[in-house]
Amino acid sequence: MLDQRAQGSTTAAGLIAKIAVLAVVAALAVWAAVPLIAAGAWWGLALEAAVAAVLFYVYLQRRAVQLKYLVPGTLLLIAFQILPVVLTVGTSFSNYGDGHRVDKEQATESIIAAGVQQTPGGATYLLAVGESASGELTLLLTDTADGSTWAGTEAGLAELDGATVDPTGRVTAAPGYTVWTLADLNERQAELADLAVPTGDTTGIKVQGLSAFEGESTRSYDEACDCITDSATGTVWYADDETGTFVTEDGQAALVGWRVNIGFGNYLDVLTDPDIRGPFLGVFTWNVAFAAGSVLFTFAIGLGTAMALNRPGMRGTKVYRAFMILPYAMPSFAMLLVWAQMFNRDFGLVNELFGLNVNWYGGTWPARAMVLIANTWLGWPYMFLISLGALQALPSDSLEAAKIDGATGVTAFRKITLPLLLIALTPLLISSFAFNFNNFNAIELLSGGHPFEAGDAVGGTDLLITYAFRQAFGSSSADYGFASAISVFIFLIVATISAVMFRFTRNQEDVYS
Amino acid sequence: MTTAVATKRKGRKSFLKWAADTGWRHAVALAALLFGLVPIVYVVSAAFNPNGTLSSTNLLPTSFGLGNFQKLFTDDNVPFASWFANSLMIAVPAAFISIFISSLAAYAFSRFRFRGRRPMLLFLLLIQMFPAFLAVVALYLIFGSIGEFYPIAGLNTKLGLMLVYMGGALGVSTWLMKGFFDTIPKELDEAATIDGASHAQIFFGMILPLAAPIIAISGILAFVGTMNDFILASLFLTDRPEMTLAVGLKTLTAENSPASYFGIFAAGTLLTSILTVAVFMSLQRYIVSGLTGGAVKG
């Protein structure tokens, strides 16, 4: 322990550094507060002030010096590792996703706006469509009367600053949005049919071809029955607070719903919905097999090579080792893409070299063999390195003793070398298993989850993590709630693996102490 | 090796002995090398193949040209230079800051005794089993809302992506560095304290310079891990010129890319790997010891 009296900024340079750092913290805190105040996000502001206060306290006090060293990493850890995990668990209990992005009030307004009929003299707009960074469809509108630009979503209309417009006035680019081309606009017209931007209690903006108009809605919300009535068609939608949707009496749901807590709904879907349960079990089994197979094959090849090269005085070992490290040193993402090309059916190297005509992406088993082969290639040099390190660290006296007792070759390896090696390497093998269990890159870059049976959301080589990723960000509609539920499954599995690993580590400590 | 073969090959008997003793070792090593090197040779061959298509590429090159490398920097549709720059602009500062933050924590764990020290160390061991991308949906939602308030750090920004990478600063590298710091004698600290040095001076002036090798290794492992990340980078950076190498190069092999892009892709792979291979080769020795310390390449 250090002498407490000597701690603190004793030199002028130290003092200046401390003042400078705290000044930067203060400046950042003020800068960060401005948008929060502007938006009236008081909880955010309170949190931000608390973080700044903690920083100031930690670096101005003199008693708990260790905090000064721990706080930066801990704050980042909380913000970007722990909070996401907590939020994942939270989201997994909701129906958050496309069709359930907004709150109930906004959903009501949006449905009302969808019933808008053009009124004579109402505002008309030139239409462009953009996708916001979070994938939400947004109408980018140019008022034909005065040329002002607006951004409209199912939550409402907001002014759009900094947009680029073409000579006719149509928005062609806007900060924060990916703007559709005209071809996109034609192709995806159907997605816009139900999109409506509420502008008042009964008014809204609706799309018509390449333009949009503001008008009066024939629909109205009645609080007494918690329902929306369309006076033109006579349809009535009743709010269902459990599923977050408006439903007609014969069970037709309105397209826009709202975000609600659905309890264990997402988890129950996995367990009870036969359309999900079957594929999910398949993915889970394959996921375990993929991780186990990857560890087994890489370890077998790596250990075999390490055994071969572990001989003092053998020539060329340095050269061998330098070349064997190469696959490990190559950027793994790029080599996965190379392997993906090597497995091309018509022109790929694998079929060409071995005179095969296998459609590696076509069948479940060829695709699975493919990802295992490529992943083994990526992983074995690592196993080689750690096996060689462990072999060289083996106590030579036990091997000598075994030799004297007459154990040679296979027996000595099986009874002496392998058990000793496994004691040292088991934690690394388990963490390799955990790594491969969530090896997103290997699947996404090699097979992309292929092959897919017609109509199936799950591919033959999908892992849980690639499946979850596609549920949230794939081309079909986003379902963040369900994807989060799968992530929670992954958390639980990884936690189990970690528990096993900790036990092994503890056993190992017992051996060495 | 050939001389070894020649001298050992004096008679049939001694050859058999050599084969049983050392020969099989060379056979195994060569077989492993063959498996290991084929894809790499193939990339080299494809990179220098002037046609650039998959169908015209063989394992051993039949013709030679630098056209692919040229296109890498001239084709408007392939902003390779920006991808490379983006990757470096994200990975270098992220690795630097992560390792700095991690070394701060390692110093605290190594030199101070405080309540909650052991639980925190164990917790760090646990959290490294949960890489950030497992919570990818939540990260996406978090940065979606961050972007609403601070457009500079939201989705589609380098800063946002860097923040995620830095969130994983504490972890394996903290343990590695703590282990190394523990081997630096505490008597040095005490001597410095008597001479009037503050804890900050001890850390910056003494511990950091002494621990330079382990800091370099941790930094490189963090850098390589960041360079190889695909899942987060693909989600955060979607504009073509803003992509990182991993995301950008993947678009070159996508089904709707022209067939001749394969050669360009291979050339890009080769240029990318020069960096990582050079680093690995020069530091093999340290990396091996770092690996057995429990780090897994991400």
Side-chain angles (χ1 to χ4, degrees):
Chain A
M1 181 65 74
L2 296 174
D3 183 354
Q4 297 287 334
R5 277 168 305 171
Q7 290 166 7
S9 310
T10 48
T11 62
L15 198 62
I16 292 170
K18 183 184 257 182
I19 292 172
V21 168
L22 286 179
V24 170
V25 170
L28 273 177
V30 171
W31 171 82
V34 172
L36 291 174
I37 294 172
W42 306 121
W43 279 111
L45 190 68
L47 186 70
E48 197 251 330
V51 170
V54 164
L55 283 172
F56 265 86
Y57 169 74
V58 164
Y59 289 102
L60 288 176
Q61 52 93 31
R62 293 191 166 204
R63 279 184 42 224
V65 178
Q66 72 275 3
L67 287 181
K68 299 178 193 232
Y69 292 91
L70 289 172
V71 153
T74 311
L75 283 181
L76 282 172
L77 187 76
I78 292 172
F80 301 119
Q81 294 265 86
I82 297 174
L83 182 69
V85 170
V86 174
L87 198 69
T88 303
V89 177
T91 312
S92 73
F93 292 109
S94 80
N95 62 354
Y96 193 19
D98 279 349
H100 296 279
R101 280 176 182 270
V102 292
D103 62 27
K104 185 176 179 183
E105 198 181 328
Q106 289 170 324
T108 315
E109 285 175 0
S110 172
I111 293 171
I112 291 174
V116 161
Q117 306 292 328
Q118 191 162 14
T119 44
T124 53
Y125 301 92
L126 284 174
L127 173 74
V129 178
E131 273 177 72
S132 74
S134 58
E136 197 175 10
L137 284 187
T138 310
L139 303 183
L140 305 174
L141 305 166
T142 314
D143 195 323
T144 47
D146 58 8
S148 57
T149 50
W150 302 83
T153 63
E154 55 194 41
L157 194 65
E159 222 162 323
L160 177 66
D161 290 326
T164 320
V165 292
D166 69 3
T168 63
R170 197 183 302 276
V171 176
T172 53
Y177 297 100
T178 318
V179 179
W180 287 7
T181 61
L182 278 180
D184 281 333
L185 202 54
N186 269 323
E187 226 169 85
R188 301 172 68 174
Q189 188 67 232
E191 292 172 47
L192 303 175
D194 309 302
L195 189 64
V197 180
T199 55
D201 277 347
T202 57
T203 55
I205 296 173
K206 246 197 122 178
V207 175
Q208 190 176 52
L210 295 178
S211 54
F213 59 83
E214 185 170 15
E216 193 77 23
S217 179
T218 53
R219 297 174 187 175
S220 59
Y221 174 72
D222 184 355
E223 218 163 300
C225 64
D226 200 7
C227 63
I228 298 174
T229 315
D230 191 327
S231 59
T233 60
T235 319
V236 184
W237 289 274
Y238 296 95
D240 180 346
D241 283 324
E242 296 216 329
T243 60
T245 42
F246 280 103
V247 210
T248 60
E249 269 185 344
D250 46 6
Q252 294 277 63
L255 276 140
V256 181
W258 64 97
R259 217 181 139 169
V260 288
N261 188 332
I262 53 167
F264 284 90
N266 289 316
Y267 297 95
L268 289 177
D269 276 352
V270 173
L271 297 176
T272 55
D273 187 337
D275 282 346
I276 299 175
R277 186 177 56 192
F280 183 88
L281 277 180
V283 172
F284 178 74
T285 316
W286 157 243
N287 201 340
V288 173
F290 170 76
S294 295
V295 174
L296 192 70
F297 294 141
T298 53
F299 186 56
I301 299 182
L303 177 62
T305 335
M307 299 274 299
L309 288 190
N310 182 33
R311 183 184 166 87
M314 179 181 162
R315 293 188 184 222
T317 42
K318 276 220 172 99
V319 180
Y320 283 134
R321 209 176 82 165
F323 276 109
M324 278 174 191
I325 221 177
L326 255 188
Y328 185 54
M330 297 291 282
S332 62
F333 73 88
M335 291 318 287
L336 284 166
L337 292 169
V338 170
W339 274 99
Q341 299 297 311
M342 283 168 57
F343 280 108
N344 185 297
R345 180 186 192 166
D346 301 315
F347 312 117
L349 185 71
V350 177
N351 277 354
E352 197 180 300
L353 272 187
F354 296 98
L356 298 171
N357 186 27
V358 180
N359 182 4
W360 294 96
Y361 294 92
T364 299
W365 289 106
R368 289 180 172 181
M370 170 181 83
V371 292
L372 271 174
I373 291 171
N375 202 33
T376 302
W377 182 86
L378 273 183
W380 76 266
Y382 167 74
M383 291 295 186
F384 162 72
L385 288 176
I386 62 168
S387 303
L388 193 62
L391 275 174
Q392 286 168 349
L394 281 187
S396 54
D397 46 351
S398 27
L399 290 177
E400 294 286 323
K403 219 174 227 169
I404 291 166
D405 289 345
T408 51
V410 179
T411 324
F413 172 74
R414 215 164 48 88
K415 300 262 180 185
I416 315 283
T417 316
L418 192 60
L420 281 174
L421 267 187
L422 284 181
I423 289 177
L425 292 182
T426 301
L428 290 179
L429 292 182
I430 295 176
S431 61
S432 169
F433 180 87
F435 171 77
N436 280 306
F437 192 86
N438 294 311
N439 200 336
F440 180 86
N441 274 18
I443 300 302
E444 181 66 20
L445 298 180
L446 273 172
S447 68
H450 282 282
F452 290 95
E453 302 267 327
D456 255 2
V458 181
T461 54
D462 255 332
L463 301 182
L464 289 175
I465 181 75
T466 55
Y467 177 49
F469 188 79
R470 194 158 343 91
Q471 290 301 314
F473 309 112
S475 49
S476 59
S477 69
D479 190 344
Y480 300 132
F482 185 68
S484 298
I486 300 175
S487 302
V488 173
F489 272 107
I490 301 178
F491 291 155
L492 293 178
I493 293 161
V494 173
T496 314
I497 300 173
S498 319
V500 173
M501 184 159 116
F502 273 116
R503 281 193 62 158
F504 269 103
T505 326
R506 199 161 295 161
N507 289 346
Q508 187 191 7
E509 275 166 14
D510 291 345
V511 168
Y512 283 117
S513 59
Chain B
M1 263 152 22
T2 43
T3 51
V5 175
T7 46
K8 294 262 179 185
R9 235 188 215 173
K10 273 179 186 154
R12 200 169 164 70
K13 226 178 190 175
S14 63
F15 171 74
L16 277 179
K17 188 162 178 269
W18 175 82
D21 197 42
T22 325
W24 69 270
R25 295 173 185 276
H26 286 291
V28 169
L30 285 174
L33 268 193
L34 195 68
F35 176 53
L37 292 184
V38 160
I40 298 175
V41 173
Y42 186 65
V43 178
V44 177
S45 162
F48 290 106
N49 174 16
N51 272 330
T53 58
L54 188 61
S55 55
S56 68
T57 303
N58 295 309
L59 182 57
L60 297 174
T62 45
S63 49
F64 177 87
L66 291 173
N68 290 326
F69 291 92
Q70 222 164 38
K71 278 184 214 144
L72 210 49
F73 293 99
T74 52
D75 194 324
D76 285 337
N77 213 7
V78 186
F80 180 76
S82 349
W83 294 342
F84 209 111
N86 291 340
S87 275
L88 290 182
M89 274 160 66
I90 292 166
V92 171
F96 243 92
I97 298 174
S98 298
I99 293 310
F100 176 65
I101 290 174
S102 184
S103 68
L104 287 176
Y107 177 62
F109 285 124
S110 169
R111 287 303 195 261
F112 297 99
R113 294 292 174 271
F114 48 90
R115 264 232 311 256
R117 177 176 168 275
R118 267 187 67 84
M120 264 190 91
L121 273 170
L122 277 177
F123 182 73
L124 287 188
L125 210 54
L126 184 75
I127 199 81
Q128 58 136 331
M129 300 289 281
F130 295 85
F133 69 81
L134 288 188
V136 61
V137 177
L139 279 172
Y140 185 75
L141 301 176
I142 289 176
F143 277 88
S145 5
I146 289 183
E148 281 175 24
F149 293 108
Y150 314 109
I152 189 177
L155 294 167
N156 251 325
T157 65
K158 293 194 188 75
L159 185 62
L161 187 56
M162 273 168 59
L163 281 175
V164 180
Y165 291 146
M166 284 189 284
L170 299 190
V172 190
S173 56
T174 316
W175 270 84
L176 271 179
M177 282 191 264
K178 179 204 165 272
F180 194 91
F181 292 176
D182 284 345
T183 65
I184 301 174
K186 281 199 176 159
E187 285 75 17
L188 287 179
D189 297 33
E190 280 156 20
T193 311
I194 290 167
D195 287 347
S198 67
H199 58 85
Q201 283 172 321
I202 292 174
F203 175 67
F204 287 104
M206 200 181 79
I207 304 275
L208 272 192
L210 282 176
I214 194 75
I215 288 172
I217 300 304
S218 312
I220 284 158
L221 286 176
F223 171 77
V224 171
T226 311
M227 287 282 280
N228 277 319
D229 172 67
F230 177 80
I231 179 167
L232 293 169
S234 70
L235 209 58
F236 270 78
L237 304 173
T238 46
D239 291 346
R240 206 165 163 75
E242 291 294 312
M243 288 174 175
T244 62
L245 278 170
V247 186
L249 284 178
K250 179 167 193 250
T251 63
L252 295 184
T253 63
E255 262 164 44
N256 51 7
S257 289
S260 65
Y261 273 20
F262 179 63
I264 304 181
F265 158 77
T269 302
L270 216 54
L271 287 185
T272 311
S273 48
I274 288 175
L275 198 70
T276 49
V277 170
V279 161
F280 264 80
M281 287 296 155
S282 54
L283 295 169
Q284 320 186 13
R285 223 155 26 102
Y286 303 104
I287 287 173
V288 173
S289 55
L291 288 179
T292 36
V296 180
K297 183 185 168 195

